[in-house]
């Protein structure tokens, strides 16, 4: 798909000239003669690049102010400022406000095309970097303040600088790779490579070549060569074949391995993860006991998400902000009943499952960015497990109240609904709810329900009359 370039200049001849140059190179162009029109175009669809004149006669704001507005709306869009009266001071100011580049009129077509090409490439690299970081589980942060997470942070701070081998255990989706990256970041090897080997996804017949390289034929060697001086993460180490485990033991002991006719020396810190029970694997003859003790110099166990439910609100909001940033859209507020529903769910997929649910809500939840996400908008498998209270119409408001006030609100809403249901007949309502008629009268009066019932009934009657009139 061709890049979409928005040209913003108050001079029609300049816009037409620039559009012709770009379109000859296969770009799609849009034009705006003033700031107001430019903002409409930016809101309608994010351009790949914006060419923005600093002096916009006839506009309510100049190009610098428009640049600020564009960056608020579309922070990732590249903006090239153009001006016939440019100064170094103006250029510096534009760059500080987020402009990609500054070009003075009159300019050569080749110079303009080169800047546009570079701006598009810079945006592409930024997107690819975000996608790679997202797939890798970055940014590398531990979210939450539960006791288990606080203890885990202290462990990372202590074990990181030591260089010791670490075995990280925990259920799938609990964040084992993030912990491994944090250990690497807190080590003296932080400036060296961090290489991940997913043992579960490798074919057993190719695993040794992948780890150690071929017989001198591989220019890049194996992953031990790639991680030399840094950290190698053996992800899901329990799935490693037994014959490869024996070679890993020797490398951990000697920091060298044979390849072809000689030996290759490496300096690699090894961190391993698993969601299985390695001691049971040892008893079953599937994992070497010697390798277990070499890997588990410092054992670190991660809790499941259900064991640290107090962290769920912070995690959910973090995933919302991160998901919105990655997608280039506004984040949504999670209502209090939604947070409560998330905290009551069992989360068999742990933090990874929570992140997927938040990403789903960001895309699929009805409403716009200003509307909070309510509990009833959750996927069916979550909402069906939520307590019945969280499915009430005003559950978000109720969940923010202390018990006494919440009980009063619930009683008021419940009794109003029942009185309206029985057409204002207090006797029938009392019979249904299981109260004496006089007691119900007193309760309704104490809750201030009488006037509210009358107004709701009148509103319902008017609505019914309007519907009947429309149907007739």
């Amino acid at each position: 798909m061709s890049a979409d370039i928005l040209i913003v200049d108050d001079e029609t001849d300049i816009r037409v000239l620039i559009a012709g140059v770009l379109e000859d190179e296969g770009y799609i162009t849009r034009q705006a003669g003033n700031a107001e029109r430019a903002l409409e175009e930016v809101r309608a669809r994010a351009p790949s690049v914006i060419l923005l004149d600093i002096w916009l006669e006839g506009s309510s704001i100049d190009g610098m102010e428009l640049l600020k507005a564009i960056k608020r709306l579309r922070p990732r869009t590249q903006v090239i400022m153009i001006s016939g009266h440019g100064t170094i001071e103006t250029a510096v100011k534009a760059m500080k406000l987020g402009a990609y580049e500054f070009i003075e009129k009159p300019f050569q077509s080749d110079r303009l095309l080169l800047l546009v090409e570079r701006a598009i490439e810079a945006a592409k690299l930024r997107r690819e970097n975000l996608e790679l970081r997202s797939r890798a589980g970055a940014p590398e942060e531990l979210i939450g303040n539960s006791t288990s997470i606080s203890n885990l942070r202290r462990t990372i701070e202590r074990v990181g600088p030591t260089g010791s081998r670490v075995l990280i255990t925990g259920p799938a989706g609990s964040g084992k790779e993030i912990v491994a990256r944090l250990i690497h970041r807190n080590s003296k090897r932080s400036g060296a490579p961090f290489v991940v080997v997913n043992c579960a996804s490798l074919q057993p017949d190719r695993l040794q070549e992948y780890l150690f390289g071929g017989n001198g034929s591989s220019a890049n060697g194996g992953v031990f060569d790639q991680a030399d001086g840094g950290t190698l993460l053996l992800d899901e180490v329990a799935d490693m074949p037994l014959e490869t485990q024996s070679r890993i033991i020797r490398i951990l002991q000697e920091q060298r391995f044979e390849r072809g006719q000689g030996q290759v020396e490496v300096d690699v810190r090894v961190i391993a993860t698993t969601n299985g029970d390695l001691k049971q694997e040892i008893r079953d003859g599937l994992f070497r006991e010697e390798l277990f003790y070499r890997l588990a110099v410092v054992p670190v166990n991660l809790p499941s998400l259900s064991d640290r439910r107090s962290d769920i609100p912070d995690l959910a909001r973090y995933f919302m902000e991160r998901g919105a940033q990655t997608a280039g859209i506004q984040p949504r507020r999670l209502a209090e009943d939604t947070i409560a529903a998330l905290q009551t769910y069992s989360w068999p997929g742990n933090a990874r499952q929570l992140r997927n649910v938040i990403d789903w809500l960001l895309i699929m939840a009805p409403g716009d960015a200003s509307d909070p996400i309510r509990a009833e908008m959750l996927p069916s498998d979550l909402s069906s497990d939520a307590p019945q209270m969280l499915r009430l119409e005003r559950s978000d408001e109720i969940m923010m109240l202390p018990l006494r006030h919440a009980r009063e609100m619930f009683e008021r809403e419940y009794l109003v609904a029942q009185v309206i249901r029985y057409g204002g007949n207090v006797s029938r309502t009392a019979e249904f709810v299981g109260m004496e008629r006089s007691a119900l009268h007193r309760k309704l009066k104490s809750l201030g329900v009488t006037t509210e019932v009358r107004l709701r009934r009148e509103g319902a009657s008017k609505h019914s009359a309007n519907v009947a009139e429309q149907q007739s």
Side-chain angles (χ1 to χ4, degrees), residues 101-137:
E101 189 56 272
F102 183 96
I103 184 171
E104 293 184 63
K105 299 177 187 176
F107 45 78
Q108 297 293 322
S109 297
D110 290 344
R111 170 66 174 163
L112 176 66
L113 290 172
L114 178 62
L115 287 180
V116 169
E117 182 181 350
R118 286 179 176 175
I120 292 171
E121 184 63 23
K124 179 182 176 183
L125 289 173
R126 185 182 298 177
R127 287 195 304 271
E128 290 176 350
N129 185 50
L130 285 171
E131 291 169 2
L132 288 171
R133 285 169 64 84
S134 176
R135 286 198 295 269

Side-chain angles (χ1 to χ4, degrees), residues 184-206:
H184 173 72
R185 194 171 75 183
N186 281 271
S187 73
K188 299 175 183 178
R189 302 170 180 263
S190 59
F194 179 89
V195 180
V196 180
V197 177
N198 189 341
C199 301
S201 65
L202 295 175
Q203 297 295 327
D205 56 345
R206 298 185 58 190

Side-chain angles (χ1 to χ4, degrees), residues 133 137-160 168-169 173-186 300-305 308 310-319 322 351-352 354:
R133 285 169 64 84
E140 300 146 7
E141 300 294 341
L142 282 177
I143 306 300
N145 294 293
S146 63
T147 301
S148 57
I149 292 300
S150 298
N151 290 338
L152 184 57
R153 286 195 186 97
R154 286 192 290 270
T155 298
I156 291 170
E157 291 172 358
R158 295 182 65 179
V159 75
I168 305 171
T169 59
S174 57
K176 296 186 292 295
E177 184 175 331
I178 293 177
V179 172
R181 289 179 179 274
L182 285 171
I183 292 172
H184 173 72
R185 194 171 75 183
N186 281 271
V300 176
N301 184 59
L302 270 62
S304 65
L305 189 55
R308 56 183 189 108
S310 62
D311 292 333
I312 289 177
D314 288 338
L315 269 171
R317 295 183 183 107
Y318 168 76
F319 289 143
R322 175 180 162 190
R352 184 186 296 133
L354 175 60

Side-chain angles (χ1 to χ4, degrees), residues 352-472:
R352 184 186 296 133
Q353 183 187 7
L354 175 60
R355 182 184 64 189
N356 291 341
V357 167
I358 297 300
D359 287 344
W360 183 91
L361 288 171
L362 192 59
I363 298 169
M364 301 299 294
D368 56 32
S370 62
D371 298 322
I373 294 177
R374 298 290 309 280
E376 65 265 19
M377 301 177 187
L378 290 169
S380 57
D381 56 336
L382 269 73
S383 58
S384 61
D385 283 354
Q388 187 67 33
M389 171 59 70
L390 299 179
R391 303 176 214 170
L392 299 178
E393 182 180 353
R394 300 176 66 182
S395 58
D396 181 36
E397 187 177 351
I398 291 175
M399 292 303 295
M400 298 182 70
L401 296 174
L403 176 60
R404 180 171 62 85
H405 295 156
R407 183 168 55 239
E408 290 178 359
M409 176 183 286
F410 174 78
E411 286 183 338
R412 183 182 299 109
E413 292 294 317
Y414 174 77
L415 292 176
V416 166
Q418 295 294 1
V419 172
I420 293 174
R421 175 186 181 186
Y422 287 103
N425 190 315
V426 177
S427 297
R428 292 183 61 194
T429 304
E431 181 180 357
F432 178 80
V433 302
M435 294 178 68
E436 294 290 338
R437 186 176 184 278
S438 58
L440 179 57
H441 263 300
R442 290 193 298 273
K443 174 61 74 174
L444 293 173
K445 184 176 180 180
S446 68
L447 294 174
V449 167
T450 307
T451 303
E452 188 172 354
V453 170
R454 179 175 57 80
L455 291 175
R456 290 199 189 183
R457 288 179 63 196
E458 289 176 357
S461 298
K462 289 178 182 179
H463 175 72
S464 299
N466 290 336
V467 171
E469 183 178 349
Q470 293 171 4
Q471 291 177 343
S472 63

